[in-house]
Amino acid sequence: MSNPTVTVKIRDALKYAQGRAEKFSRTQQLEIGTDLFIRIAPGGRRFLLFCLDGEPDQANARAIAAALGLKDPQYGWHQGATLRSLTVVEAGSEVVAEAPDKEE
């Protein structure tokens, strides 16, 4: 017997991940569609949108920026070793360093 399916609105999942990125100063990653991923940076005011095969659509980035409540988002591209990511940064937002892992 499998667990029941739970449906979550993508806007709610994005806002939850944004809150965690802000609260814990840790990058949050979600798969938000078929071959579409988001990494919300610490602080919750910046994100990368990427695909494993191809490039993300800027219309998706605009819709996500609006859902996350970013004011005056700035769009650009980041070329990594294997992926080209669409970057979105709220104008004037500070770069927040990721919290170090706690030693146990």
Side-chain angles (χ1 to χ4, degrees):
M1 181 174 198
S2 65
N3 293 327
T5 301
V6 176
T7 302
V8 177
K9 292 180 182 177
I10 189 65
R11 182 181 305 266
D12 293 341
L14 288 168
K15 294 295 280 182
Y16 178 75
Q18 182 185 37
R20 286 182 54 85
E22 186 174 2
K23 181 178 179 180
F24 297 111
S25 295
R26 301 285 304 190
T27 298
Q28 303 295 305
Q29 181 170 312
L30 296 171
E31 183 175 4
I32 56 175
T34 303
D35 193 32
L36 183 61
F37 302 85
I38 185 172
R39 285 188 183 149
I40 302 175
R45 309 314 295 172
R46 302 176 297 129
F47 67 87
L48 290 175
L49 194 61
F50 65 97
C51 302
L52 298 178
D53 185 28
E55 293 182 352
D57 183 2
Q58 194 165 17
N60 288 329
R62 285 191 295 273
I64 292 167
L68 294 176
L70 300 186
K71 295 171 180 58
D72 192 22
Q74 307 296 308
Y75 302 91
W77 290 97
H78 171 74
Q79 180 63 55
T82 58
L83 298 173
R84 186 170 178 208
S85 303
L86 184 53
T87 62
V88 182
V89 178
E90 182 175 72
S93 67
E94 295 180 22
V95 174
V96 178
E98 221 170 281
D101 289 331
K102 292 182 180 179
E103 292 184 22
E104 296 182 33

Coordinates of all heavy atoms in Angstrom, one line a residue:
M1 N 0.8 -1.2 0.0 CA 0.0 0.0 0.0 C 0.9 1.2 0.0 O 1.8 1.4 0.8 CB -0.9 0.0 1.2 CG -1.8 1.1 1.4 SD -2.9 0.8 2.8 CE -4.2 1.8 2.4
S2 N 0.6 2.2 -0.9 CA 1.4 3.4 -1.0 C 0.7 4.5 -0.2 O -0.4 4.5 0.2 CB 1.6 3.8 -2.4 OG 0.3 4.2 -3.0
N3 N 1.6 5.5 0.2 CA 1.1 6.7 0.9 C 0.1 7.5 0.0 O 0.3 7.5 -1.2 CB 2.2 7.6 1.3 CG 3.1 6.9 2.4 OD1 2.6 6.1 3.2 ND2 4.4 7.1 2.3
P4 N -0.8 8.2 0.6 CA -1.7 9.0 -0.2 C -1.0 10.2 -0.9 O 0.1 10.6 -0.4 CB -2.7 9.6 0.8 CG -2.1 9.4 2.1 CD -1.1 8.3 2.0
T5 N -1.4 10.6 -2.0 CA -0.8 11.7 -2.8 C -1.3 13.0 -2.2 O -2.4 13.2 -1.8 CB -1.3 11.6 -4.3 OG1 -0.8 10.4 -4.8 CG2 -0.7 12.8 -5.0
V6 N -0.3 13.9 -2.0 CA -0.6 15.2 -1.5 C -0.3 16.2 -2.7 O 0.8 16.2 -3.2 CB 0.3 15.5 -0.3 CG1 0.0 17.0 0.2 CG2 0.0 14.6 0.8
T7 N -1.2 17.1 -3.0 CA -1.0 18.1 -4.0 C -0.7 19.4 -3.3 O -1.4 19.8 -2.4 CB -2.3 18.2 -4.9 OG1 -2.6 17.0 -5.5 CG2 -2.1 19.3 -5.9
V8 N 0.4 20.0 -3.7 CA 0.8 21.3 -3.2 C 0.9 22.3 -4.3 O 1.5 22.0 -5.4 CB 2.2 21.2 -2.5 CG1 2.7 22.5 -2.0 CG2 2.2 20.1 -1.4
K9 N 0.4 23.5 -4.2 CA 0.5 24.5 -5.2 C 1.9 24.9 -5.3 O 2.6 25.1 -4.3 CB -0.4 25.7 -4.8 CG -1.9 25.4 -4.9 CD -2.7 26.7 -4.5 CE -4.1 26.4 -4.5 NZ -4.9 27.5 -4.1
I10 N 2.4 25.1 -6.5 CA 3.8 25.5 -6.7 C 4.1 26.8 -6.0 O 5.2 26.9 -5.5 CB 4.1 25.5 -8.3 CG1 5.6 25.7 -8.5 CG2 3.4 26.6 -9.0 CD1 6.5 24.5 -8.0
R11 N 3.2 27.7 -6.0 CA 3.4 29.0 -5.3 C 3.7 28.8 -3.8 O 4.6 29.4 -3.3 CB 2.2 29.9 -5.5 CG 2.4 31.3 -4.9 CD 1.1 32.1 -5.0 NE 0.7 32.3 -6.4 CZ 1.1 33.3 -7.2 NH1 1.9 34.2 -6.8 NH2 0.7 33.3 -8.5
D12 N 3.0 27.8 -3.2 CA 3.2 27.5 -1.8 C 4.5 26.9 -1.6 O 5.2 27.2 -0.6 CB 2.0 26.6 -1.3 CG 0.7 27.3 -1.3 OD1 0.6 28.6 -1.3 OD2 -0.3 26.6 -1.2
A13 N 4.9 26.0 -2.5 CA 6.2 25.3 -2.4 C 7.3 26.3 -2.5 O 8.3 26.2 -1.8 CB 6.3 24.2 -3.4
L14 N 7.2 27.2 -3.5 CA 8.2 28.2 -3.6 C 8.4 29.1 -2.4 O 9.5 29.4 -2.0 CB 7.9 29.1 -4.9 CG 8.1 28.4 -6.2 CD1 7.5 29.2 -7.4 CD2 9.6 28.1 -6.5
K15 N 7.2 29.6 -1.9 CA 7.3 30.5 -0.7 C 7.8 29.7 0.5 O 8.6 30.3 1.3 CB 5.8 31.0 -0.4 CG 5.3 31.9 -1.5 CD 6.0 33.2 -1.6 CE 5.6 34.2 -0.5 NZ 6.3 35.5 -0.6
Y16 N 7.5 28.5 0.6 CA 8.1 27.7 1.7 C 9.6 27.6 1.6 O 10.3 27.8 2.6 CB 7.4 26.3 1.8 CG 8.0 25.4 2.8 CD1 7.6 25.5 4.2 CD2 8.9 24.4 2.5 CE1 8.1 24.7 5.2 CE2 9.4 23.5 3.5 CZ 9.0 23.7 4.8 OH 9.5 22.9 5.8
A17 N 10.1 27.3 0.4 CA 11.5 27.2 0.2 C 12.2 28.5 0.4 O 13.3 28.6 1.0 CB 11.8 26.6 -1.2
Q18 N 11.5 29.6 0.0 CA 12.1 30.9 0.1 C 12.2 31.2 1.6 O 13.2 31.8 2.1 CB 11.2 32.0 -0.5 CG 11.7 33.4 -0.4 CD 10.7 34.4 -1.0 OE1 9.5 34.3 -0.9 NE2 11.3 35.4 -1.6
G19 N 11.2 30.9 2.4 CA 11.2 31.1 3.9 C 12.4 30.3 4.5 O 13.0 30.8 5.4
R20 N 12.6 29.1 4.1 CA 13.7 28.3 4.6 C 15.0 28.9 4.2 O 15.9 28.9 5.1 CB 13.6 26.8 4.1 CG 12.4 26.0 4.8 CD 12.4 24.6 4.3 NE 13.6 23.9 4.5 CZ 14.1 23.3 5.6 NH1 13.3 23.3 6.6 NH2 15.2 22.7 5.6
A21 N 15.2 29.3 3.0 CA 16.4 29.9 2.6 C 16.7 31.2 3.4 O 17.9 31.4 3.8 CB 16.4 30.3 1.1
E22 N 15.7 31.9 3.8 CA 15.9 33.1 4.6 C 16.2 32.7 6.1 O 17.1 33.2 6.7 CB 14.6 34.0 4.5 CG 14.8 35.3 5.2 CD 13.6 36.2 5.0 OE1 12.6 35.8 4.4 OE2 13.7 37.3 5.6
K23 N 15.4 31.8 6.6 CA 15.5 31.5 8.0 C 16.8 30.7 8.3 O 17.4 31.0 9.4 CB 14.3 30.6 8.4 CG 14.3 30.1 9.8 CD 13.1 29.3 10.1 CE 13.1 28.8 11.6 NZ 11.9 28.0 11.9
F24 N 17.2 29.8 7.5 CA 18.4 29.0 7.8 C 19.6 29.4 7.0 O 20.7 28.8 7.2 CB 18.1 27.5 7.5 CG 16.9 27.0 8.3 CD1 15.7 26.6 7.7 CD2 17.1 26.8 9.7 CE1 14.7 26.1 8.5 CE2 16.1 26.3 10.5 CZ 14.9 25.9 9.9
S25 N 19.5 30.4 6.2 CA 20.7 30.9 5.4 C 21.3 29.7 4.6 O 22.6 29.6 4.6 CB 21.7 31.6 6.3 OG 21.2 32.8 6.8
R26 N 20.5 28.9 4.0 CA 20.9 27.7 3.3 C 20.2 27.7 1.9 O 19.0 28.0 1.9 CB 20.6 26.4 4.0 CG 21.2 26.3 5.4 CD 22.6 25.9 5.3 NE 22.8 24.8 4.6 CZ 24.0 24.1 4.5 NH1 25.0 24.6 5.2 NH2 24.1 23.1 3.7
T27 N 20.9 27.3 0.9 CA 20.3 27.2 -0.4 C 19.2 26.1 -0.4 O 19.4 25.0 0.2 CB 21.3 26.8 -1.5 OG1 22.3 27.9 -1.5 CG2 20.7 26.6 -2.8
Q28 N 18.1 26.4 -1.0 CA 17.0 25.4 -1.1 C 16.7 25.1 -2.6 O 16.7 26.0 -3.4 CB 15.7 26.1 -0.5 CG 15.8 26.5 0.9 CD 16.1 25.4 1.9 OE1 15.3 24.4 1.9 NE2 17.2 25.5 2.6
Q29 N 16.7 23.8 -2.9 CA 16.5 23.4 -4.3 C 15.2 22.7 -4.4 O 14.8 21.8 -3.6 CB 17.6 22.5 -4.8 CG 17.5 22.1 -6.2 CD 18.7 21.5 -6.8 OE1 19.8 22.0 -6.6 NE2 18.5 20.3 -7.5
L30 N 14.4 23.0 -5.5 CA 13.2 22.3 -5.8 C 13.1 21.9 -7.3 O 13.6 22.7 -8.1 CB 12.0 23.3 -5.6 CG 11.7 23.8 -4.2 CD1 10.6 24.8 -4.3 CD2 11.2 22.6 -3.3
E31 N 12.5 20.8 -7.5 CA 12.2 20.5 -8.9 C 10.8 21.0 -9.1 O 9.8 20.5 -8.5 CB 12.2 18.9 -9.1 CG 12.0 18.5 -10.6 CD 12.2 17.1 -10.8 OE1 12.4 16.3 -9.9 OE2 12.0 16.7 -12.0
I32 N 10.6 21.9 -10.0 CA 9.3 22.6 -10.2 C 8.6 22.3 -11.5 O 7.5 22.8 -11.7 CB 9.5 24.1 -10.0 CG1 10.5 24.7 -11.0 CG2 9.8 24.5 -8.6 CD1 10.5 26.2 -11.0
G33 N 9.2 21.4 -12.3 CA 8.6 20.9 -13.5 C 9.4 19.9 -14.1 O 10.5 19.5 -13.6
T34 N 9.0 19.4 -15.3 CA 9.7 18.4 -16.0 C 11.0 19.1 -16.5 O 11.0 20.0 -17.2 CB 8.9 17.9 -17.2 OG1 7.7 17.3 -16.7 CG2 9.7 16.8 -18.0
D35 N 12.1 18.6 -15.9 CA 13.5 19.1 -16.3 C 13.5 20.7 -16.0 O 14.1 21.4 -16.8 CB 13.8 18.8 -17.7 CG 15.3 19.1 -18.0 OD1 16.1 18.9 -17.1 OD2 15.6 19.5 -19.1
L36 N 13.0 21.1 -14.9 CA 13.1 22.5 -14.5 C 13.3 22.6 -13.0 O 12.5 22.0 -12.2 CB 11.8 23.3 -14.9 CG 11.9 24.8 -14.6 CD1 13.0 25.5 -15.3 CD2 10.5 25.4 -14.9
F37 N 14.4 23.2 -12.6 CA 14.8 23.2 -11.2 C 15.1 24.7 -10.8 O 15.5 25.5 -11.6 CB 16.1 22.4 -11.0 CG 15.9 21.0 -11.4 CD1 16.1 20.6 -12.7 CD2 15.6 20.0 -10.5 CE1 16.0 19.2 -13.1 CE2 15.5 18.7 -10.8 CZ 15.6 18.3 -12.2
I38 N 14.9 24.9 -9.5 CA 15.2 26.2 -8.9 C 16.1 26.0 -7.7 O 15.9 25.1 -6.9 CB 14.0 27.0 -8.6 CG1 14.3 28.4 -8.1 CG2 13.1 26.3 -7.5 CD1 13.1 29.3 -7.9
R39 N 17.1 26.9 -7.5 CA 17.9 27.0 -6.3 C 17.7 28.4 -5.8 O 18.2 29.3 -6.4 CB 19.4 26.7 -6.6 CG 19.7 25.3 -6.9 CD 21.2 25.1 -7.0 NE 21.4 23.7 -7.3 CZ 22.4 23.2 -8.0 NH1 23.3 24.1 -8.4 NH2 22.6 22.0 -8.3
I40 N 17.1 28.4 -4.6 CA 16.9 29.7 -4.0 C 18.0 30.0 -3.0 O 18.3 29.1 -2.1 CB 15.5 29.8 -3.2 CG1 14.4 29.5 -4.2 CG2 15.3 31.1 -2.5 CD1 13.0 29.4 -3.6
A41 N 18.7 31.1 -3.2 CA 19.9 31.4 -2.4 C 19.6 31.8 -1.0 O 18.5 32.2 -0.7 CB 20.7 32.5 -3.1
P42 N 20.6 31.6 -0.1 CA 20.4 32.1 1.3 C 19.9 33.5 1.3 O 20.3 34.4 0.5 CB 21.8 32.0 1.9 CG 22.5 31.0 1.1 CD 22.0 31.1 -0.3
G43 N 19.0 33.8 2.2 CA 18.3 35.1 2.2 C 17.0 35.2 1.4 O 16.2 36.0 1.7
G44 N 16.9 34.3 0.4 CA 15.6 34.2 -0.3 C 15.3 35.2 -1.3 O 14.2 35.3 -1.8
R45 N 16.3 36.1 -1.6 CA 16.0 37.2 -2.6 C 16.7 37.0 -3.9 O 16.7 37.9 -4.8 CB 16.5 38.5 -2.0 CG 15.9 38.9 -0.6 CD 14.5 38.6 -0.4 NE 13.6 39.4 -1.2 CZ 12.3 39.3 -1.3 NH1 11.7 38.3 -0.7 NH2 11.6 40.1 -2.1
R46 N 17.4 35.8 -4.1 CA 18.0 35.5 -5.4 C 17.8 34.0 -5.7 O 17.6 33.2 -4.8 CB 19.6 35.6 -5.2 CG 20.0 37.0 -4.8 CD 21.5 37.1 -4.6 NE 22.0 36.2 -3.5 CZ 23.0 35.3 -3.6 NH1 23.6 35.2 -4.7 NH2 23.3 34.6 -2.6
F47 N 17.7 33.7 -7.0 CA 17.6 32.3 -7.4 C 18.2 32.0 -8.7 O 18.4 32.9 -9.5 CB 16.1 31.8 -7.3 CG 15.2 32.4 -8.3 CD1 15.0 31.9 -9.6 CD2 14.4 33.5 -8.0 CE1 14.1 32.4 -10.5 CE2 13.5 34.1 -8.9 CZ 13.4 33.5 -10.1
L48 N 18.5 30.7 -8.9 CA 19.0 30.2 -10.2 C 17.9 29.3 -10.7 O 17.3 28.5 -9.9 CB 20.2 29.4 -10.0 CG 21.5 30.0 -9.7 CD1 22.6 29.0 -9.5 CD2 21.9 31.0 -10.8
L49 N 17.6 29.4 -12.0 CA 16.6 28.5 -12.6 C 17.4 27.8 -13.7 O 18.1 28.4 -14.5 CB 15.5 29.4 -13.3 CG 14.2 28.7 -13.7 CD1 13.5 28.0 -12.5 CD2 13.3 29.7 -14.4
F50 N 17.3 26.4 -13.7 CA 18.1 25.7 -14.6 C 17.4 24.4 -15.1 O 16.4 23.9 -14.4 CB 19.5 25.3 -14.1 CG 19.4 24.4 -12.9 CD1 19.6 23.0 -13.0 CD2 19.2 24.9 -11.6 CE1 19.6 22.2 -11.9 CE2 19.2 24.1 -10.5 CZ 19.4 22.7 -10.6
C51 N 17.8 23.9 -16.2 CA 17.3 22.6 -16.8 C 18.5 21.7 -16.9 O 19.7 22.2 -17.1 CB 16.7 22.8 -18.1 SG 15.3 23.9 -18.2
L52 N 18.3 20.4 -16.8 CA 19.5 19.5 -17.1 C 19.7 19.3 -18.6 O 20.8 18.9 -19.0 CB 19.2 18.2 -16.4 CG 19.0 18.2 -14.9 CD1 18.7 16.9 -14.3 CD2 20.3 18.8 -14.2
D53 N 18.7 19.5 -19.4 CA 18.8 19.4 -20.8 C 18.2 20.6 -21.5 O 17.0 20.8 -21.6 CB 18.0 18.1 -21.3 CG 18.2 17.9 -22.7 OD1 19.2 18.3 -23.3 OD2 17.3 17.3 -23.3
G54 N 19.0 21.6 -21.8 CA 18.5 22.8 -22.4 C 18.6 24.0 -21.5 O 19.4 24.0 -20.5
E55 N 17.9 25.1 -21.8 CA 17.9 26.3 -21.0 C 16.5 26.6 -20.5 O 15.5 26.4 -21.2 CB 18.4 27.4 -21.8 CG 19.9 27.3 -22.2 CD 20.4 28.5 -23.0 OE1 19.6 29.3 -23.4 OE2 21.6 28.5 -23.2
P56 N 16.4 27.3 -19.3 CA 15.1 27.7 -18.8 C 14.6 28.9 -19.6 O 15.3 29.6 -20.2 CB 15.4 28.1 -17.4 CG 16.8 28.4 -17.3 CD 17.5 27.6 -18.4
D57 N 13.3 29.0 -19.5 CA 12.6 30.1 -20.2 C 12.5 31.3 -19.3 O 12.1 31.2 -18.1 CB 11.2 29.6 -20.5 CG 10.3 30.6 -21.3 OD1 10.8 31.7 -21.7 OD2 9.2 30.3 -21.6
Q58 N 12.8 32.5 -19.8 CA 12.7 33.7 -19.0 C 11.3 34.0 -18.5 O 11.2 34.6 -17.5 CB 13.3 34.9 -19.8 CG 13.6 36.1 -18.8 CD 14.5 37.1 -19.4 OE1 14.8 37.1 -20.6 NE2 15.1 37.9 -18.6
A59 N 10.3 33.6 -19.3 CA 8.9 33.8 -18.8 C 8.7 33.1 -17.5 O 8.0 33.6 -16.6 CB 7.9 33.4 -19.9
N60 N 9.2 31.9 -17.4 CA 9.1 31.2 -16.1 C 9.8 31.9 -15.0 O 9.3 32.0 -13.8 CB 9.7 29.8 -16.2 CG 8.8 28.8 -17.0 OD1 7.6 29.0 -17.1 ND2 9.5 27.9 -17.7
A61 N 11.0 32.5 -15.3 CA 11.7 33.2 -14.2 C 11.0 34.4 -13.8 O 10.9 34.7 -12.6 CB 13.1 33.6 -14.8
R62 N 10.3 35.1 -14.7 CA 9.5 36.3 -14.4 C 8.3 35.9 -13.5 O 8.0 36.6 -12.5 CB 9.0 37.0 -15.6 CG 10.1 37.8 -16.3 CD 9.6 38.8 -17.4 NE 9.0 38.0 -18.5 CZ 9.6 37.6 -19.5 NH1 10.9 37.8 -19.7 NH2 9.0 37.0 -20.5
A63 N 7.7 34.8 -13.8 CA 6.5 34.3 -13.0 C 7.0 33.9 -11.6 O 6.3 34.2 -10.6 CB 5.8 33.2 -13.7
I64 N 8.1 33.3 -11.5 CA 8.6 32.8 -10.2 C 9.0 34.1 -9.4 O 8.7 34.1 -8.2 CB 9.8 31.9 -10.4 CG1 9.3 30.5 -11.0 CG2 10.5 31.6 -9.0 CD1 10.4 29.6 -11.4
A65 N 9.7 35.0 -10.0 CA 10.1 36.2 -9.3 C 8.9 37.0 -8.7 O 8.9 37.4 -7.6 CB 10.9 37.2 -10.2
A66 N 7.8 37.0 -9.5 CA 6.5 37.6 -9.0 C 6.0 36.8 -7.9 O 5.5 37.4 -6.9 CB 5.5 37.7 -10.2
A67 N 6.0 35.5 -8.0 CA 5.4 34.6 -6.9 C 6.2 34.8 -5.6 O 5.6 34.7 -4.5 CB 5.4 33.2 -7.3
L68 N 7.5 35.0 -5.7 CA 8.4 35.2 -4.6 C 8.4 36.6 -4.0 O 9.0 36.9 -3.0 CB 9.8 34.7 -4.9 CG 10.0 33.3 -5.2 CD1 11.4 33.0 -5.6 CD2 9.6 32.4 -4.0
G69 N 7.7 37.5 -4.7 CA 7.6 38.9 -4.3 C 8.9 39.7 -4.4 O 9.1 40.7 -3.7
L70 N 9.7 39.3 -5.4 CA 10.9 40.1 -5.6 C 10.6 41.4 -6.3 O 9.8 41.5 -7.2 CB 11.9 39.3 -6.5 CG 12.4 38.0 -6.1 CD1 13.5 37.4 -7.0 CD2 12.9 38.0 -4.6
K71 N 11.2 42.5 -5.8 CA 11.0 43.8 -6.3 C 12.1 44.2 -7.2 O 13.3 44.0 -6.9 CB 10.9 44.8 -5.1 CG 9.6 44.6 -4.3 CD 9.7 45.4 -3.0 CE 8.5 45.2 -2.1 NZ 8.3 43.9 -1.6
D72 N 11.8 44.6 -8.4 CA 12.8 45.0 -9.4 C 13.8 43.9 -9.6 O 15.0 44.2 -9.5 CB 13.4 46.3 -9.0 CG 14.3 46.9 -10.1 OD1 14.0 46.6 -11.3 OD2 15.2 47.7 -9.8
P73 N 13.4 42.7 -10.0 CA 14.4 41.6 -10.3 C 15.2 41.9 -11.5 O 14.8 42.5 -12.5 CB 13.5 40.4 -10.5 CG 12.2 40.9 -10.9 CD 12.0 42.3 -10.3
Q74 N 16.5 41.5 -11.4 CA 17.5 41.7 -12.5 C 17.8 40.3 -13.0 O 18.0 39.3 -12.2 CB 18.8 42.3 -11.9 CG 18.5 43.6 -11.2 CD 17.9 44.7 -12.1 OE1 18.5 45.0 -13.2 NE2 16.8 45.3 -11.7
Y75 N 17.8 40.1 -14.3 CA 17.9 38.8 -14.9 C 19.3 38.7 -15.7 O 19.7 39.7 -16.2 CB 16.8 38.5 -16.0 CG 15.4 38.6 -15.3 CD1 14.7 39.8 -15.2 CD2 14.9 37.5 -14.7 CE1 13.5 39.9 -14.6 CE2 13.6 37.5 -14.1 CZ 12.9 38.7 -14.1 OH 11.7 38.8 -13.5
G76 N 19.9 37.6 -15.6 CA 21.2 37.3 -16.3 C 21.4 35.8 -16.5 O 20.5 35.0 -16.2
W77 N 22.5 35.5 -17.0 CA 22.9 34.1 -17.3 C 24.2 33.8 -16.5 O 25.1 34.6 -16.4 CB 23.0 33.8 -18.8 CG 21.7 33.9 -19.5 CD1 21.2 35.0 -20.2 CD2 20.8 32.9 -19.6 NE1 20.0 34.6 -20.7 CE2 19.7 33.4 -20.3 CE3 20.7 31.5 -19.1 CZ2 18.6 32.6 -20.6 CZ3 19.6 30.8 -19.4 CH2 18.5 31.3 -20.2
H78 N 24.2 32.6 -16.1 CA 25.5 32.0 -15.4 C 25.8 30.7 -16.2 O 25.0 29.8 -16.3 CB 25.3 31.7 -14.0 CG 26.4 31.0 -13.3 ND1 27.6 31.6 -13.0 CD2 26.6 29.7 -13.0 CE1 28.4 30.7 -12.5 NE2 27.8 29.6 -12.5
Q79 N 27.0 30.7 -16.7 CA 27.5 29.5 -17.4 C 28.4 28.7 -16.4 O 29.5 29.1 -16.0 CB 28.3 29.9 -18.6 CG 28.9 28.7 -19.4 CD 27.8 27.8 -19.9 OE1 26.9 28.2 -20.6 NE2 27.8 26.5 -19.6
G80 N 27.9 27.6 -16.0 CA 28.7 26.7 -15.1 C 29.4 25.7 -16.0 O 29.5 25.8 -17.2
A81 N 30.0 24.7 -15.3 CA 30.8 23.7 -16.0 C 30.0 22.9 -17.0 O 30.4 22.5 -18.1 CB 31.5 22.8 -15.0
T82 N 28.7 22.6 -16.6 CA 27.9 21.8 -17.4 C 26.5 22.4 -17.7 O 25.8 21.9 -18.6 CB 27.6 20.4 -16.8 OG1 27.0 20.6 -15.5 CG2 29.0 19.6 -16.6
L83 N 26.1 23.4 -17.0 CA 24.8 23.9 -17.2 C 24.8 25.5 -17.3 O 25.7 26.1 -16.8 CB 23.9 23.7 -15.9 CG 23.6 22.2 -15.6 CD1 22.9 22.1 -14.2 CD2 22.8 21.6 -16.7
R84 N 23.9 26.0 -18.1 CA 23.7 27.4 -18.2 C 22.4 27.7 -17.4 O 21.3 27.2 -17.7 CB 23.6 27.8 -19.6 CG 23.5 29.3 -19.8 CD 23.6 29.7 -21.2 NE 23.5 31.2 -21.3 CZ 23.1 31.9 -22.3 NH1 22.7 31.2 -23.4 NH2 23.0 33.2 -22.3
S85 N 22.6 28.6 -16.4 CA 21.4 28.9 -15.5 C 21.0 30.3 -15.7 O 21.8 31.2 -15.9 CB 21.9 28.7 -14.0 OG 22.3 27.4 -13.8
L86 N 19.7 30.5 -15.6 CA 19.1 31.9 -15.6 C 19.2 32.4 -14.1 O 18.7 31.7 -13.2 CB 17.7 31.8 -16.1 CG 17.0 33.1 -16.3 CD1 17.7 34.1 -17.1 CD2 15.6 32.9 -16.9
T87 N 19.8 33.5 -13.9 CA 20.0 34.1 -12.6 C 18.9 35.2 -12.4 O 18.7 36.0 -13.3 CB 21.4 34.6 -12.3 OG1 21.6 35.7 -13.2 CG2 22.4 33.6 -12.5
V88 N 18.4 35.3 -11.2 CA 17.4 36.3 -10.9 C 17.8 36.9 -9.5 O 17.9 36.1 -8.6 CB 16.0 35.8 -10.9 CG1 15.0 37.0 -10.6 CG2 15.6 35.1 -12.2
V89 N 18.1 38.2 -9.5 CA 18.5 38.8 -8.2 C 17.6 40.0 -8.0 O 17.4 40.8 -8.9 CB 20.0 39.3 -8.3 CG1 20.4 40.0 -7.1 CG2 20.9 38.1 -8.6
E90 N 17.1 40.2 -6.8 CA 16.4 41.4 -6.4 C 17.3 42.5 -6.4 O 18.4 42.5 -5.7 CB 15.6 41.2 -5.1 CG 14.8 42.4 -4.7 CD 14.0 42.1 -3.5 OE1 14.6 42.1 -2.4 OE2 12.8 42.0 -3.6
A91 N 17.0 43.6 -7.1 CA 17.9 44.8 -7.1 C 18.1 45.3 -5.6 O 17.2 45.4 -4.9 CB 17.3 45.9 -7.9
G92 N 19.4 45.5 -5.3 CA 19.8 46.0 -4.0 C 19.8 44.9 -2.9 O 20.1 45.2 -1.8
S93 N 19.6 43.7 -3.2 CA 19.6 42.6 -2.2 C 21.1 42.3 -1.9 O 21.9 42.3 -2.7 CB 18.9 41.4 -2.6 OG 19.6 40.7 -3.7
E94 N 21.3 42.1 -0.6 CA 22.7 41.7 -0.2 C 22.9 40.3 -0.4 O 22.0 39.5 -0.4 CB 22.8 42.0 1.3 CG 22.7 43.4 1.7 CD 22.8 43.6 3.2 OE1 23.4 42.7 3.9 OE2 22.3 44.6 3.8
V95 N 24.2 40.0 -0.7 CA 24.6 38.6 -0.8 C 24.7 38.0 0.6 O 25.5 38.6 1.4 CB 25.9 38.4 -1.6 CG1 26.4 37.0 -1.6 CG2 25.7 39.0 -3.0
V96 N 24.0 37.0 0.8 CA 24.0 36.3 2.2 C 24.8 35.1 2.1 O 24.6 34.2 1.2 CB 22.6 36.0 2.7 CG1 22.6 35.3 4.0 CG2 21.8 37.3 2.7
A97 N 25.9 34.9 2.9 CA 26.7 33.7 2.9 C 25.9 32.6 3.5 O 25.1 32.7 4.4 CB 28.0 33.9 3.7
E98 N 26.2 31.4 3.0 CA 25.5 30.2 3.5 C 26.0 29.9 4.8 O 27.2 30.0 5.1 CB 25.7 29.0 2.5 CG 24.5 28.2 2.4 CD 24.5 27.2 1.3 OE1 24.3 27.6 0.1 OE2 24.7 26.0 1.6
A99 N 25.1 29.4 5.7 CA 25.5 29.1 7.1 C 26.4 27.8 7.0 O 26.1 26.9 6.3 CB 24.2 28.8 7.9
P100 N 27.4 27.8 7.9 CA 28.3 26.6 7.9 C 27.5 25.4 8.5 O 26.6 25.6 9.3 CB 29.4 27.0 8.8 CG 28.9 28.1 9.7 CD 27.8 28.8 8.8
D101 N 27.9 24.2 8.0 CA 27.3 23.0 8.6 C 27.7 22.9 10.1 O 28.8 23.1 10.4 CB 27.8 21.7 7.8 CG 27.2 21.7 6.4 OD1 26.0 22.2 6.3 OD2 27.8 21.1 5.5
K102 N 26.7 22.4 10.9 CA 27.0 22.2 12.3 C 27.7 20.9 12.5 O 27.3 19.9 11.8 CB 25.7 22.2 13.1 CG 25.1 23.6 13.2 CD 23.8 23.5 14.0 CE 23.2 24.9 14.1 NZ 22.0 24.8 14.9
E103 N 28.7 20.9 13.3 CA 29.4 19.6 13.6 C 28.6 18.9 14.6 O 28.1 19.5 15.5 CB 30.8 19.9 14.0 CG 31.7 20.4 12.9 CD 33.2 20.6 13.4 OE1 33.5 19.9 14.4 OE2 33.9 21.4 12.8
E104 N 28.5 17.6 14.4 CA 27.8 16.8 15.4 C 28.7 15.9 16.2 O 29.7 15.6 15.9 CB 26.7 15.9 14.7 CG 25.7 16.8 14.0 CD 24.6 16.0 13.4 OE1 24.3 14.9 13.9 OE2 24.1 16.4 12.3

